[in-house]
Amino acid sequence: MTKIAFVGAGSVVFTRQLIADLLGFPDLAGIELALHDIDAERLAVAEGTGRRLVEQLGTPATVTATLDRRAALAGADFVVNMIQVGGIDATITDLEVPARYGLRQTIGDTTGVGGVFRALRTFPVLEAILRDMREVCPDALLLNYTNPMAMNVWWASVVAPDIRTYGLCHSVYWTAHDLAELVGLDVADTRYRAAGVNHQAWLLDWTADGQDLYPRLRDRIAADPELERRVRVEIFRRIGYYPTETSEHSSEYLPWFLRSDAQVERFRIEPLQYIGISRDNVAEFEQARALLAAGADLPLEGGASEYAPQIIHSVVTGKPREIHVNVPNAGLIDNLPAGAAVEVPALVDAAGVRPVPMGALPPQCAALNRTYLSVAELTIEAARTGDPRLVRQAVLVDGNASSSLTPDRIWDLCDELTAAHGDLLPEPLRVAVPASSL
């Protein structure tokens, strides 16, 4: 029997979709779904969700739930990681404290100051998960959804290179899906490949019937001036390749957009957007609990679009697929740093996950990716060495932070966030750092 462990299963709506996708494959009937969370109330709702889906979809499966992580992991073939260390309160802190300093963010979970502090909170828990896996399921594949994706995958490769870790994100798929719709095509009739880093990969190959679709996209943009008021379209116009993450995310990875009121208005950006999204997630959890209590069916999205169920299905059944994954750069992208976590296509079947080497990125794309990866590298080094100065230097390198704040203000901001997150951070990094200490 194939066993799939969900760590952070209290992310109930996401857990629901992943389980529904898995149960949508008839040849995965009989799988064991082992759910774990540290929040007993959320775990109970996740367990109820899993059991209801088995009934609702009619696919046999065993659903278990436990507060004991090692018990959930024991004997697992696949581990799906969805943890959010510190929960919604820590997320709001990552957004609201920088805003008081004049540093705007929209999502704050990937790079920049929000990504750095989210990573530092996550690393100790991720390392503990990997340590448990080494002891109770060393051959399992770790399928990571937790952000900041690039930093987490990179950290996993540092502390547990023996565990096969793949970072999964739906941004490439949904970019290809939405762009196909924009130019009047079904995504199934297109071919696409992207490469770069998570949330800042580039659509390098996008065709239909062998024809490049970029001219068609440029014509579509030219016919609608409102499209030019989107962040991703501006990046596309300046760089020449379309980025694979939303405008809201993409705006905070560069120094171009959030630095002024005029740019925020011009590109219709909503700072602090993720606070509302996080509160909506809480409301969705309450709705799920109410539906279960009422004995009602759970709402489901059609089709298996998430990558974790596709990987599991392909490895178990041998069905070949091509998806996109985040993995350490071992000869995959020539002009990005070796060892850094990069996003590339991958072939999946019974033999496992095989990332596809993509050669060199267009130099302008690699240049932007390298700045992003510099923030990640300094964060990794801060955690590895316990040097709190590197935390400040990581934020100082970030384009959005450095375009909005002076170095003194960045130092003060990092000191305040360090105090706010307290015990969630690795112990050596829980200190303020006077600039004079350099």
Side-chain angles (χ1 to χ4, degrees):
M1 179 187 298
T2 299
K3 180 177 179 180
I4 305 155
F6 291 78
V7 181
S11 178
V12 169
V13 176
F14 194 37
T15 297
R16 177 202 305 168
Q17 189 58 45
L18 291 175
I19 293 176
D21 283 359
L22 286 165
L23 297 180
F25 294 118
D27 41 6
L28 290 183
I31 58 175
E32 179 182 352
L33 306 172
L35 311 181
H36 163 72
D37 203 277
I38 61 172
D39 185 315
E41 183 180 15
R42 281 186 165 270
L43 182 60
V45 175
E47 181 181 12
T49 295
R51 295 185 186 280
R52 178 63 50 77
L53 289 174
V54 169
E55 297 174 0
Q56 190 172 325
L57 297 175
T59 304
T62 301
V63 178
T64 62
T66 177
L67 295 168
D68 183 339
R69 184 175 66 215
R70 287 172 66 91
L73 293 174
D77 300 289
F78 304 91
V79 177
V80 181
N81 179 39
M82 305 178 289
I83 61 173
Q84 183 182 9
V85 179
I88 186 174
D89 291 339
T91 295
I92 290 173
T93 295
D94 283 340
L95 291 164
E96 288 188 340
V97 173
R100 292 203 304 268
Y101 281 74
L103 175 56
R104 297 180 175 104
Q105 299 173 97
T106 52
I107 310 298
D109 70 352
T110 296
T111 186
V113 66
V116 167
F117 277 87
R118 181 180 283 242
L120 295 173
R121 294 194 305 273
T122 304
F123 287 170
V125 183
L126 177 58
E127 187 170 352
I129 293 168
L130 290 160
R131 187 166 54 246
D132 286 348
M133 288 182 64
R134 183 180 290 119
E135 295 175 4
V136 302
C137 58
D139 296 325
L141 275 62
L142 177 60
L143 307 178
N144 178 74
Y145 278 103
T146 297
N147 284 318
M149 181 68 69
M151 296 194 211
N152 287 331
V153 170
W154 197 340
W155 182 247
S157 75
V158 169
V159 299
D162 51 317
I163 300 295
R164 293 173 293 170
T165 299
Y166 303 99
L168 306 180
C169 177
H170 49 223
S171 62
V172 173
Y173 170 80
W174 284 112
T175 295
H177 179 279
D178 293 345
L179 287 182
E181 183 177 351
L182 188 64
V183 298
L185 295 172
D186 187 313
V187 68
D189 296 325
T190 68
R191 170 183 166 80
Y192 59 90
R193 275 185 166 180
V197 293
N198 182 239
H199 289 179
Q200 198 185 63
W202 309 96
L203 195 61
L204 301 177
D205 178 13
W206 185 42
T207 61
D209 296 324
Q211 298 297 310
D212 181 10
L213 292 174
Y214 269 139
R216 193 163 171 172
L217 177 61
R218 291 187 177 94
D219 290 344
R220 179 69 179 83
I221 291 169
D224 185 354
E226 282 301 296
L227 288 175
E228 295 190 359
R229 296 183 60 209
R230 298 302 295 157
V231 165
R232 284 208 282 181
V233 171
E234 176 71 355
I235 295 171
F236 173 48
R237 291 177 62 230
R238 305 297 179 181
I239 299 301
Y241 292 88
Y242 206 84
T244 61
E245 189 44 72
T246 63
S247 288
E248 290 70 31
H249 268 292
S250 296
S251 68
E252 61 186 355
Y253 306 156
L254 298 167
W256 308 351
F257 299 106
L258 291 167
R259 61 192 299 169
S260 72
D261 292 340
Q263 287 289 84
V264 168
E265 181 179 357
R266 177 185 174 188
F267 290 103
R268 299 179 288 179
I269 304 168
E270 182 186 343
L272 305 180
Q273 185 180 36
Y274 200 57
I275 293 177
I277 293 172
S278 297
R279 289 175 175 151
D280 288 344
N281 289 340
V282 173
E284 288 182 338
F285 166 76
E286 297 296 342
Q287 180 190 44
R289 179 162 58 181
L291 288 171
L292 289 172
D297 281 350
L298 299 172
L300 300 174
E301 297 177 11
S305 60
E306 289 294 344
Y307 285 150
Q310 293 182 52
I311 287 176
I312 293 166
H313 183 256
S314 288
V315 171
V316 171
T317 69
K319 179 179 174 60
R321 284 185 171 86
E322 180 172 305
I323 61 170
H324 284 75
V325 298
N326 293 270
V327 289
N329 186 22
L332 298 173
I333 298 181
D334 296 343
N335 50 352
L336 292 182
V342 295
E343 190 163 60
V344 293
L347 306 176
V348 192
D349 56 23
V353 181
R354 300 185 304 284
V356 177
M358 295 296 287
L361 295 179
Q364 69 275 27
C365 297
L368 293 185
N369 287 166
R370 281 194 291 267
T371 299
Y372 170 119
L373 288 174
S374 292
V375 177
E377 181 180 24
L378 288 166
T379 306
I380 296 290
E381 281 300 291
R384 190 183 67 81
T385 64
D387 185 349
R389 294 171 300 178
L390 289 166
V391 177
R392 281 79 183 158
Q393 290 161 351
V395 179
L396 192 65
V397 166
D398 174 61
N400 185 37
S402 60
S403 72
S404 304
L405 301 180
T406 64
D408 281 343
R409 293 289 282 169
I410 287 174
W411 242 250
D412 291 344
L413 168 58
C414 289
D415 286 347
E416 184 170 341
L417 282 172
T418 298
H421 289 309
D423 292 348
L424 293 175
L425 300 177
E427 186 173 0
L429 302 181
R430 300 174 196 167
V431 296
V433 180
S436 59
S437 69
L438 296 176

